[in-house]
Amino acid sequence: GEDVEQSLFLSVREGDSSVINCTYTDSSSTYLYWYKQEPGAGLQLLTYIFSNMDMKQDQRLTVLLNKKDKHLSLRIADTQTGDSAIYFCADGYNKLIFGAGTRLAVHP
Amino acid sequence: DTGVSQDPRHKITKRGQNVTFRCDPISEHNRLYWYRQTLGQGPEFLTYFQNEAQLEKSRLLSDRFSAERPKGSFSTLEIQRTEQGDSAMYLCASIPGQGTEAFFGQGTRLTVV
């Protein structure tokens, strides 16, 4: 069945780059997504990439897609304390399948 | 605020009681989704509607769960004979017809005691 896997935890120093990785199984997805969830808050769409693209850049965010390996990554440049949150990778055609989330901790 | 409203925000109920949650999507969004999220997990798909038609239900959705979207606008999710394992955050999302972005509500947190 459809599955999305992510590493559970990432700790980075403020100002460094963060890279969050994700692997997925559903090759029929038209888009792949990154969502952010802060404590007590709802899910916020950060960015998405069309499945025929390799890379998408949006300000401090860079998404890389390797369709052959079914691997998606999110790079956050110049990570700030406000970036501390849980990041979810999601894919799917009619419905989104989410990973378990990567908790990003940013320390001074 | 994404424009998707869920009510109530919190619900505490005794085991065995029935509960009903409501979701008001962004108007004119014809796709509506229900997800369940437990602590430390990502949202798990439960069911989705296109207009008033329920097009898919997850195997997670036991016979105790039922969802409706009678006029293709708001939706309700009912859980009958609640169990402690039903304790979770129930999330609703809506997507416009040709859109790609799912707009999530703040969720309803259910606690079964």
Side-chain angles (χ1 to χ4, degrees):
Chain A
E2 303 141 333
D3 193 22
V4 176
E5 294 192 356
Q6 303 177 235
S7 51
L8 294 182
F9 189 74
L10 177 66
S11 177
V12 299
R13 185 174 300 171
E14 192 174 12
D16 287 351
S17 292
S18 308
V19 179
I20 302 171
N21 295 300
C22 167
T23 57
Y24 61 95
T25 58
D26 185 358
S27 59
S28 67
S29 303
T30 305
Y31 296 93
L32 295 109
Y33 303 82
W34 284 103
Y35 279 82
K36 177 182 180 181
Q37 189 173 44
E38 294 177 277
L43 285 160
Q44 172 196 354
L45 179 67
L46 275 183
T47 187
Y48 62 90
I49 186 168
F50 190 46
S51 58
N52 70 355
M53 296 171 64
D54 298 323
M55 185 181 82
K56 179 180 178 181
Q57 188 146 2
D58 184 0
Q59 300 181 346
R60 292 191 297 122
L61 305 178
T62 302
V63 179
L64 295 178
L65 175 60
N66 181 330
K67 283 196 74 174
K68 175 175 170 290
D69 295 337
K70 297 184 182 176
H71 183 267
L72 184 73
S73 68
L74 174 70
R75 178 177 180 269
I76 305 173
D78 187 25
T79 313
Q80 302 297 308
T81 55
D83 295 322
S84 294
I86 302 175
Y87 291 81
F88 294 96
C89 164
D91 85 328
Y93 184 60
N94 285 321
K95 61 183 185 288
L96 293 180
I97 303 299
F98 287 82
T102 299
R103 182 178 295 276
L104 174 64
V106 183
H107 56 86
Chain B
D1 182 6
T2 63
V4 178
S5 300
Q6 293 190 244
D7 183 69
R9 293 289 307 276
H10 304 273
K11 177 72 177 178
I12 300 174
T13 191
K14 291 184 178 179
R15 191 172 48 190
Q17 297 294 305
N18 299 343
V19 293
T20 300
F21 311 140
R22 177 180 169 122
C23 171
D24 287 272
I26 296 170
S27 63
E28 297 174 1
H29 279 197
N30 63 355
R31 284 186 283 162
L32 186 149
Y33 294 75
W34 285 100
Y35 284 83
R36 180 173 67 188
Q37 186 177 22
T38 53
L39 200 61
Q41 298 297 317
E44 296 173 300
F45 169 78
L46 293 178
T47 188
Y48 92 95
F49 293 83
Q50 181 151 318
N51 299 313
E52 63 275 10
Q54 188 173 19
L55 295 188
E56 187 171 346
K57 290 170 60 172
S58 165
R59 287 189 301 272
L60 293 173
L61 218 62
S62 76
D63 291 344
R64 296 184 298 106
F65 288 71
S66 62
E68 294 182 342
R69 195 183 183 198
K71 297 180 181 177
S73 56
F74 74 91
S75 176
T76 57
L77 177 69
E78 181 184 16
I79 309 174
Q80 295 182 326
R81 305 180 303 281
T82 51
E83 301 173 356
Q84 285 190 317
D86 297 331
S87 295
M89 177 75 84
Y90 289 83
L91 298 166
C92 175
S94 69
I95 303 179
Q98 299 301 319
T100 57
E101 179 177 354
F103 293 82
F104 280 84
Q106 294 283 78
T108 295
R109 182 170 295 282
L110 173 67
T111 303
V112 182
V113 297

